[in-house]
């Protein structure tokens, strides 16, 4: 049924946000013990990222290559600019998935009147659980070669990339003491009474959420809850390393540009 599909999609999106919050809460409550680095007599083994390895491995390689070959000449600011440039490359790689998500959302909005008509027809009959209800809706999706769940992977992929980026940034020893403008150490939270990057992240994330249309037929309660997600993220991430905040803020700024174009192209 369409309503069930939309609810599943909304639940998956909300679950992705909540799982990411839980991931950070766990990392705060149970931080990993950092062992002393071995003597540089032998080549150090690459970090084991576990299930995030397919994403985290390429992200770390890209970040190190950008710092070594592009931004190293900037001195102490090199890792900050490397994070900014790598974030640009990551968002460039994610852009095709955002296009797919926008196309899917436009198709679902186009089909919504037909779905509403079918729902109204069966509600009038007083048998909303009739098997024919589901068959008719499934036939509509089949004719247009789509499904309410088709937008799940494009929507959840940025959360996986964000988790991978967090694992990468917390594992690069060179970030300790790395300077970037007013930030004295990218591996630590900002040493300011009021931290600038988390507040800017919340503001830009709210703008991204506002520009991103909700799935057609989504539960209004879920939509309202997702609207509060940036504030939840901001509270959880307020004490996280500045490097991660820099990544997320830069990503939000790039998403604002992308989402503005997508909104005009696939309105």
């Amino acid at each position: 049924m369409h309503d069930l599909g939309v609810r599943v999609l909304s639940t998956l999106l909300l679950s992705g946000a909540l799982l990411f919050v839980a991931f950070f809460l766990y990392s705060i409550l149970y931080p990993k013990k950092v062992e002393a680095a071995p003597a540089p007599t032998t080549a150090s083994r690459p970090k084991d990222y576990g299930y995030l390895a397919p994403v985290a491995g390429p992200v770390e390689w890209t970040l190190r290559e950008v710092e070594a070959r592009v931004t190293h000449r900037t001195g102490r600011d090199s890792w900050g600019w490397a994070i900014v440039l790598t974030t640009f490359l990551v968002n460039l790689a994610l852009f095709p998935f955002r296009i797919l998500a926008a196309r899917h959302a436009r198709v679902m909005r186009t089909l919504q009147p037909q779905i509403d008509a079918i729902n109204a027809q069966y509600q009038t009959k007083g048998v909303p659980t009739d098997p024919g209800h589901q068959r008719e809706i499934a036939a509509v999706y089949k004719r247009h070669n789509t499904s309410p769940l088709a937008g799940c992977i494009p929507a959840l992929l940025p959360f996986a990339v964000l988790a991978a980026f967090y694992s990468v940034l917390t594992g690069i020893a060179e970030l300790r003491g790395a300077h970037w403008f007013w930030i004295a150490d990218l591996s630590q939270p900002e040493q300011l009474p009021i931290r600038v990057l988390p507040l800017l992240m919340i503001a830009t994330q709210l703008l991204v959420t506002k520009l991103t249309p909700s799935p057609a037929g989504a539960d209004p309660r879920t939509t309202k809850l997702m609207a509060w997600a940036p504030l939840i993220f901001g509270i959880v991430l307020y004490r996280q390393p500045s490097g991660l905040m820099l990544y997320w803020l830069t990503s939000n700024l790039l998403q604002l540009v992308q989402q503005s174009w997508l909104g005009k192209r696939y309105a």
Side-chain angles (χ1 to χ4, degrees), residues 90-120:
V90 167
N91 276 267
L92 190 63
L94 290 175
F95 191 48
F97 295 95
R98 294 191 175 114
I99 292 177
L100 291 177
R103 287 178 177 175
H104 175 262
R106 183 175 66 176
V107 171
M108 296 302 295
R109 287 195 299 271
T110 302
L111 297 180
Q112 190 61 39
Q114 300 181 47
I115 302 301
D116 290 340
I118 295 174
N119 289 337

Side-chain angles (χ1 to χ4, degrees), residues 98-245:
R98 294 191 175 114
I99 292 177
L100 291 177
R103 287 178 177 175
H104 175 262
R106 183 175 66 176
V107 171
M108 296 302 295
R109 287 195 299 271
T110 302
L111 297 180
Q112 190 61 39
Q114 300 181 47
I115 302 301
D116 290 340
I118 295 174
N119 289 337
Q121 177 184 353
Y122 279 87
Q123 287 173 0
T124 301
K125 293 180 179 181
V127 284
T129 58
D130 190 308
H133 186 194
Q134 183 176 359
R135 285 196 298 268
E136 288 192 35
I137 292 180
V140 172
Y141 291 140
K142 187 175 181 179
R143 286 198 302 270
H144 293 83
N145 194 27
T146 188
S147 167
L149 303 180
C152 290
I153 293 179
L156 295 177
L157 185 59
F159 289 106
V161 175
L162 185 60
F165 218 105
Y166 171 80
S167 297
V168 169
L169 293 180
T170 55
I172 295 181
E174 292 88 341
L175 284 178
R176 298 171 186 171
H179 182 273
W180 192 77
F181 286 102
W182 71 92
I183 302 172
D185 190 344
L186 286 168
S187 68
Q188 299 293 327
E190 292 176 62
Q191 300 301 313
L192 295 175
I194 299 178
R195 292 166 185 160
V196 178
L197 291 181
L199 296 180
L200 291 177
M201 185 277 290
I202 294 173
T204 53
Q205 189 67 43
L206 287 170
L207 290 175
V208 171
T209 303
K210 185 176 181 180
L211 288 177
T212 304
S214 301
D219 186 354
R221 292 172 297 180
T222 304
T223 303
K224 290 181 180 179
L225 187 58
M226 289 297 295
W228 287 96
L231 183 58
I232 298 174
F233 282 138
I235 295 174
V236 173
L237 300 176
Y238 193 75
R239 298 180 61 84
Q240 291 302 310
S242 302
L244 183 67
M245 293 292 94

